[in-house]
Amino acid sequence: MASIFSKIIAGEIPCYKIAEDERFFAFLDINPLAKGHTLVVPKQECDYVFDLDDELLGGLSVFAKKVAKAIEQVIPCKRIGVAVLGLEVPHAHVHLVPLQSEADISFAKPKLQLAKEEMEAVAEAIRAQL
Ligand code: AMP
């Protein structure tokens, strides 16, 4: 069965899309730790990020870098934090989280509740930097 992220990539489930190329896709996390929290995923389904082949893993980092640089232009932050968990969705992905402090990337804290309009506006602003 296709993963939820494959369904997002296929356009079967809506998302706040940030970027896409032949191999990778980026979209806002629906339950963000911070405004601009973005997920970067390979289109190829693979549960565990460290089971990706070396070339794809390298490409994922380079794609994530471009997206992170765009997020930095939009969200005031000290830098973009990177996390890999994969405990909830079995489709490899990298979290990009704008950081003001270490606490901003604590997955144990309550997630932000952002209005649809705010999510759309953030996604559009990040897209405009790409
Ligand atoms: P994890 O697998 O532990 O890295 O967590 C999966 C992440 O995917 C969580 O931060 C969720 O909020 C996020 N997520 C799950 N479903 C969606 C969705 N439909 N759109 C955007 N983000 C999602």
Side-chain angles (χ1 to χ4, degrees):
M1 199 176 76
S3 76
I4 187 164
F5 290 170
S6 287
K7 290 181 182 171
I8 287 173
I9 292 162
E12 294 165 14
I13 292 177
C15 74
Y16 301 99
K17 183 175 166 180
I18 300 294
E20 175 178 19
D21 71 6
E22 321 78 59
R23 296 189 300 166
F24 306 107
F25 195 96
F27 54 102
L28 294 183
D29 193 303
I30 201 74
N31 297 307
L33 289 173
K35 199 191 275 193
H37 179 171
T38 297
L39 302 177
V40 181
V41 311
K43 291 183 175 178
Q44 178 188 310
E45 268 192 25
C46 174
D47 176 356
Y48 184 40
V49 74
F50 293 130
D51 285 334
L52 293 172
D53 74 43
D54 291 356
E55 217 280 315
L56 199 59
L57 182 59
L60 181 67
S61 290
V62 173
F63 189 82
K65 175 181 172 180
K66 285 183 205 147
V67 174
K69 294 287 180 187
I71 298 169
E72 281 172 14
Q73 303 303 309
V74 173
I75 307 293
C77 61
K78 289 188 174 160
R79 56 182 58 209
I80 303 296
V82 179
V84 175
L85 284 79
L87 296 172
E88 185 186 319
V89 177
H91 183 144
H93 55 280
V94 171
H95 295 257
L96 300 178
V97 184
L99 301 180
Q100 290 291 359
S101 73
E102 186 182 310
D104 292 336
I105 201 162
S106 166
F107 283 81
K109 72 174 189 178
K111 307 299 184 292
L112 295 184
Q113 302 286 329
L114 299 180
K116 186 174 184 286
E117 295 72 25
E118 200 167 2
M119 294 286 275
E120 276 166 1
V122 169
E124 191 178 335
I126 298 170
R127 280 197 303 272
Q129 299 298 324
L130 286 161

